[in-house]
Amino acid sequence: MGTALIYDEEMTKYKLLWVDPACKIEVPERLTVSYEALKNSGLADRCVSVPVREATDEDILLVHSEEYLEAVKKTPYMTLEDLKEFTLQYGDVYFHPNIYHCAKLAAGASLQLVDSVMTGKVRNGMALVRPPGHHSMRSAASGFCVFNNVAIAAQYAKLKHGVKRVLIVDWDVHHGQGVQYSFEDDPGVLYFSWHRYEHQKFWPQLRESDYDNVGKEKGEGFNINVPWNKVGMKNSDYLSVFCHMLLPVAYEFNPDLVLVCAGFDSAIGDPEGEMCASPDIFAHLTHLLMNLAGGKVCAVLEGGYNLTSLPQSVCQTVHTLLGDPAPRPANLDGPCESALESLHCSRSAHRKYWSCLKHAAEHPSSDVSTKRLKLAEEEEKVENGEEKEKAEEEVWPEPPKRVTAPVRTALVLPDGVSCPDRCKLFSSSKDPVIVNKLRENFPRDAADSDALTTLSSLVALVEKMEKNEICNGLALVQDVSMAMTCVVQHAAIALSNRVLVVCVGDVLVPAHYKEDGTILLVHFSNKEEEQKSKYHIPVCLKKGCSDVSGFMQAVLGLLLPLGYEYDPSLVLLARTPDSGLCDGAWQQLTGLLQGLAQGHTLVLLQEGERAYVGPTASSLLGEAAPSVGKIKAPLLEDVESMEGLRTRLQVDWKLLQTTAPETG
Ligand SMILES: CC(O)(O)CCCCCNCCCN
Ligand SMILES: [Zn+2]
């Protein structure tokens, strides 16, 4: 299924008609440069174009009051003076004779997107709209927003499509207070937002934007705020919050639909955010959401005011929605102290609502540490001179070209096993060089020509992945350990870079591999093994991988951060029949790991598990994994061993940190 793109140039036909420094950044060009970039990169033509429609009064009244709607309805007939007067009652927003029409189109576009996804016409999609929506409230416009596009879409999805649980991810750099107010008492809508806050100094300067605002009444726990108390947040900060806060809770919430308040003012170069995350981070943020809700993800544009990073970020998002593997996450050097403080506060505020956070370290005396940080930041500000002059013109590299491999998924199968459609059956021509090398390395199997054939096919396949002629692969082999050793040996030699090896079940891990960092081995099993080194990480789960919640929490909070920080050029995923891992969790794992190594994932299955060929292939082809259902509390001993492992490992692996290091 495809990706919808919803855009209409009518939404560029309104602008600021008077002088107002607060609003001058919200210009029509935001939309035209974004759409042009999608057209010029060929991405728009790969999408299913879905037309906009006007939201009806009924649609708008799902969130807004009648008096507000009636008032806005009058604006097309107002004189310039009346428009100015009307605008004065709201904050940081402007009206225009055509903005009511555009606001109906922006909301209607969001509903068209929800319809297209919920009816299965497309798998996911993006709506390029203005005016944005997440600040507008029941009876008030705010922050360039007139109608709350995403809030209306969420209510509409529940009402018209019977959606029970909607996850709203707001990665815009401002707090979508309008969304928070709409759903703070609603357990059917989990609202997650990070936002520039600076201890309430940054617009809209609301006390209720802080981490301790967790929702109200039945909605307690279903509102997550992660305030950024400093500018300059980077890719590591964003990925840490996704891995250690959003994703664990999102998987526990198990949404039927994911809506994204896709604001790109959280990217580098934006005058509002003043953050330092690169546009390609949105490829990863999007990817990390695409195995939730069976892949039903609707991204709706919110903010984004740098006319260079905005289109780049939009293209990164749409690339990933289309299934293109993400670029490698360059040099993740770990979250900053301020981000860790915010992450910690947010996690501890939600400890009692989410079992995945139940063991999040209780915040010491939170106010003391926050005050300590605040004091330090105040002093820093004084040193840097009170008014930080606007960040000098930021420059950043153009996101790398994302070329899709001619072949997406290649399979190495023994005779008699049918190859799922859309996959390419792969067998290497018996390359004598490879065969001879294998004879040397695997004398005992040299006799068994089948094994030799398989091994030489594997090596040839890895070489094709290295050249990006093939994106990912799957092999059904006699002996998984042997095959893994062979690939590891070849890869470590041939691939100048790093191989992440993920073993599920009791695979005999390649014992003799070097400890030089060319291999990172993460081994999920139910056997206690002490951790051999920084690069050999046994993850012991009491019930092995059969306990889905423990396994998923280990994947989200341990494996993903490790994988992102390690940044391999190849991911080798091996499982043995005794792993006990259920299909859903296995496909989640296979799906999530494709965010690494530009999607170069090689899966090794044991002969006897040919039933897994189909489901694994569909995940490798980019199909969303089935949801694993609501995951319940992990086993206490698993959580404790995971926390212990994380504590030991975070010395070497910064992305595993969830709390600010206790300093002085
Ligand atoms: C959709 C959105 O969240 O990007 C809207 C942001 C509104 C910002 C209002 N203050 C602007 C002050 C100008 N320096
Ligand atoms: Zn914003």
Side-chain angles (χ1 to χ4, degrees), residues 21-23 25 30 91-92 132-135 142-145 172-175 203 263 265 271-272 302-305 390:
C23 295
I25 51 174
R30 296 179 53 235
D92 285 30
H134 70 153
H135 296 302
S142 168
F144 315 150
C145 303
D172 185 287
V173 87
H174 298 91
H175 181 220
W203 190 91
D265 43 14
E272 279 293 297
E302 292 282 358
Y305 307 97
K390 276 284 171 202

Side-chain angles (χ1 to χ4, degrees), residues 44 57 77 119 137 198 296 371 378 430 446 466 596 637:
D57 287 6
Y77 316 103
T119 59
M137 294 159 271
E198 289 173 306
K296 294 194 287 299
K371 277 212 181 59
E378 288 313 313
K430 272 244 188 41
E466 167 75 1
L596 302 170
E637 61 258 50

Side-chain angles (χ1 to χ4, degrees), residues 40-283:
N40 298 339
S41 58
L43 288 168
D45 295 341
R46 292 174 57 195
C47 294
V48 176
S49 171
V50 171
V52 295
R53 74 167 169 86
E54 286 192 357
T56 63
D57 287 6
E58 183 195 2
D59 297 329
I60 295 163
L61 294 173
L62 287 172
V63 167
H64 298 284
S65 67
E66 296 215 1
E67 53 274 3
Y68 176 63
L69 176 55
E70 290 317 308
V72 173
K73 275 185 177 175
K74 297 188 176 78
T75 52
Y77 316 103
M78 286 182 183
T79 63
L80 188 61
E81 282 320 306
D82 291 347
L83 280 170
K84 275 185 187 175
E85 183 63 30
F86 184 76
T87 297
L88 285 180
Q89 61 187 318
Y90 305 115
D92 285 30
V93 62
Y94 64 87
F95 278 82
H96 174 284
N98 196 35
I99 197 169
Y100 168 54
H101 181 210
C102 296
K104 283 189 289 182
L105 292 176
S110 311
L111 303 182
Q112 290 283 85
L113 180 52
V114 167
D115 283 342
S116 309
V117 166
M118 293 310 297
T119 59
K121 175 180 164 103
V122 294
R123 176 172 58 164
N124 57 35
M126 175 146 211
L128 277 184
V129 301
R130 69 186 276 271
H134 70 153
H135 296 302
S136 61
M137 294 159 271
R138 181 169 156 67
S139 300
S142 168
F144 315 150
C145 303
V146 175
F147 298 140
N148 200 315
N149 308 317
V150 168
I152 293 170
Q155 294 291 28
Y156 178 86
K158 289 168 68 178
L159 193 72
K160 287 281 186 324
H161 295 282
V163 167
K164 290 280 168 296
R165 292 181 303 282
V166 183
L167 167 65
I168 300 176
V169 178
D170 189 336
W171 66 46
D172 185 287
V173 87
H174 298 91
H175 181 220
Q177 85 279 27
V179 183
Q180 172 167 304
Y181 298 153
S182 297
F183 301 109
E184 55 193 349
D185 63 350
D186 182 349
V189 179
L190 171 59
Y191 177 57
F192 167 91
S193 171
W194 61 39
H195 32 272
R196 184 175 170 182
Y197 189 58
E198 289 173 306
H199 302 294
Q200 206 175 329
K201 284 203 180 55
F202 188 72
W203 190 91
Q205 298 172 306
L206 298 171
R207 173 69 188 78
E208 59 268 29
S209 303
D210 211 347
Y211 60 81
D212 55 351
N213 200 294
V214 296
K216 294 191 169 95
E217 296 140 30
K218 292 194 305 303
E220 252 189 75
F222 294 91
N223 190 83
I224 300 176
N225 286 330
V226 178
W228 301 125
N229 289 317
K230 294 184 88 164
V231 293
M233 293 300 167
K234 301 185 299 188
N235 295 349
S236 293
D237 303 304
Y238 290 5
L239 283 172
S240 294
V241 167
F242 259 55
C243 291
H244 299 303
M245 185 74 207
L246 173 60
L247 293 174
V249 171
Y251 270 88
E252 189 168 332
F253 180 62
N254 183 33
D256 313 307
L257 174 66
V258 178
L259 302 180
V260 183
C261 287
F264 298 106
D265 43 14
S266 40
I268 190 166
D270 192 277
E272 279 293 297
E274 293 188 72
M275 298 298 172
C276 294
S278 52
D280 52 292
I281 196 60
F282 296 103

